[in-house]
Amino acid sequence: MAPVKAAILGFGTVGQGIYTIVNERKQQLEKTIGTPIEIAAILVRDLDKTRPETPGVLITDRFEEILAIPDLKVVFEAIVGEEPARTYLEQAIAAGCHVVTANKVMYAKAAPSLERQAREQGTGIGYEATVAGGVPVIKTIDNLNLSNEVTGIQGILNGTSNFILTKMRKESCTFEEVLKEAQELGYAEADPTNDVSGFDAFCKLMILSGLSFGEQPDWENVPMEGIDALSLDEVIDADRQGLRYRHIADVRRGEDGSIQASVGPVLIGPDHPLYGIDGVDNAVAIETAYAGTLTVIGPGAGMLPTASVMVEDAAVLLRKHANFRELVTRS
């Protein structure tokens, strides 16, 4: 069979990871979906920038050239910022493509309209990588939604904040000292505001709320606090008492039916499912009606963990829609 043609928007860390995995797992993907995936084009901002070689792949800075590729089926979006990412995905869906994104800020805001458009076009959206990187929390909640009910979620959704709190507790370092180390190690951006303020975790929580409860709370009414106000004395004093500060994003449906959410440092004890999560790991404790509390843990960022779940999303979408078309044809 002819290969499925795909394009990558953005060729930074995650984009390069997607390209690597698609090529290294070509045979496995062909076995999984019945046909190989071929990266046909990559969208970049600067054509003159030095980048890894990609033989036979169109490198362009014009999105219209991406859409003009015959039989394009999948678009991986791995660029920064709400725009032009949202517009690109809208145009790709309109052209009949499945789309896979890692853009949490954009997707937190645009999910309802993009999902509605995809349903109308008969395509699919993969967004596992928007929350907790390589941790399969989206797939887990999707499966729970089939016959169970998610009643609440508590998550450590930002690896940078968790790394800082861990180092403060274990090595008695100040917030400023650990933040500098996190930046040197590549865990934190030069401008770490979104991480340490709680906004990164907030956006991920809104995505999980939409998936779990079918709606998001009013953004303006969600208390959001970062870790930058926590002092070393507070962290050490809590540790002496056997307690730990974790930056926790929490969402649940209240007794009145409204969605209630919060993001901020929480003092927890050894009986809490997130007590033992250290370093840059993310973890999500999913409270359910029938299965109790399920906790998924793993790396929240990085080239290969994030890229791998994006390729998995594409494979799932291609296989799902291929099976659907086969059933329709047989009927």
Side-chain angles (χ1 to χ4, degrees), residues 37-310:
I37 296 177
E38 172 192 318
I39 302 299
I42 297 171
L43 183 74
V44 299
R45 285 190 298 179
D46 182 2
L47 290 172
D48 297 324
K49 182 179 180 179
T50 301
R51 55 181 56 87
E53 293 187 3
T54 54
V57 177
L58 171 67
I59 305 296
T60 180
D61 60 355
R62 299 174 58 214
F63 185 63
E64 54 266 33
E65 290 189 349
I66 301 285
L67 292 181
I69 295 171
D71 300 319
L72 183 70
K73 295 298 182 186
V74 178
V75 171
F76 294 100
E77 185 269 305
I79 57 181
V80 177
E82 295 176 50
E83 289 292 353
R86 177 173 181 168
T87 298
Y88 287 163
L89 292 191
E90 289 172 344
Q91 293 176 356
I93 293 169
C97 296
H98 302 303
V99 299
V100 181
T101 181
N103 195 324
K104 52 189 168 289
V105 178
M106 178 277 295
Y107 202 70
K109 295 181 180 180
S113 63
L114 288 175
E115 291 170 5
R116 181 169 56 251
Q117 182 189 6
R119 285 194 299 270
E120 293 171 353
Q121 291 289 331
T123 65
I125 301 177
Y127 59 99
E128 183 73 70
T130 61
V131 180
V135 185
V137 61
I138 302 295
K139 293 183 181 68
T140 301
I141 294 175
D142 255 339
N143 289 334
L144 288 169
N145 284 340
L146 295 174
S147 61
N148 206 321
E149 179 187 3
V150 174
T151 57
I153 291 174
Q154 288 189 312
I156 295 173
L157 300 179
N158 183 267
T160 301
S161 292
N162 203 48
F163 173 81
I164 292 172
L165 290 177
T166 300
K167 294 279 284 190
M168 289 175 69
R169 186 187 84 248
K170 287 186 172 183
E171 300 181 16
S172 297
C173 301
T174 66
F175 170 82
E176 291 77 15
E177 289 171 336
V178 186
L179 175 59
K180 182 179 179 181
E181 181 181 352
Q183 290 171 319
E184 292 171 349
L185 292 171
Y187 296 151
E189 301 290 343
D191 180 359
T193 303
N194 282 355
D195 291 323
V196 301
S197 71
F199 184 66
D200 176 80
F202 171 88
C203 290
K204 295 171 181 175
L205 187 68
M206 294 304 99
I207 293 171
L208 293 181
S209 177
L211 175 63
S212 301
F213 305 113
E215 60 181 307
Q216 297 179 2
D218 183 347
W219 284 31
E220 299 299 321
N221 292 330
V222 177
M224 183 180 74
E225 185 179 352
I227 62 168
D228 44 351
L230 274 178
S231 70
L232 178 59
D233 286 342
E234 289 176 297
V235 174
I236 297 303
D237 183 59
D239 188 47
R240 291 195 184 104
Q241 301 176 57
L243 304 174
R244 293 177 183 175
Y245 278 102
R246 296 297 189 199
H247 191 257
I248 294 178
D250 184 296
V251 65
R252 59 196 63 249
R253 191 178 293 280
E255 293 183 0
D256 62 354
S258 65
I259 305 299
Q260 300 173 357
S262 63
V263 177
V266 178
L267 201 56
I268 60 175
D271 57 339
H272 194 285
L274 303 180
Y275 181 82
I277 311 302
D278 277 342
V280 295
D281 276 350
N282 281 197
V284 182
I286 307 165
E287 301 162 20
T288 72
Y290 302 121
T293 298
L294 310 175
T295 306
V296 289
I297 305 166
M303 173 191 286
L304 296 180
T306 303
S308 67
V309 298
M310 294 182 74

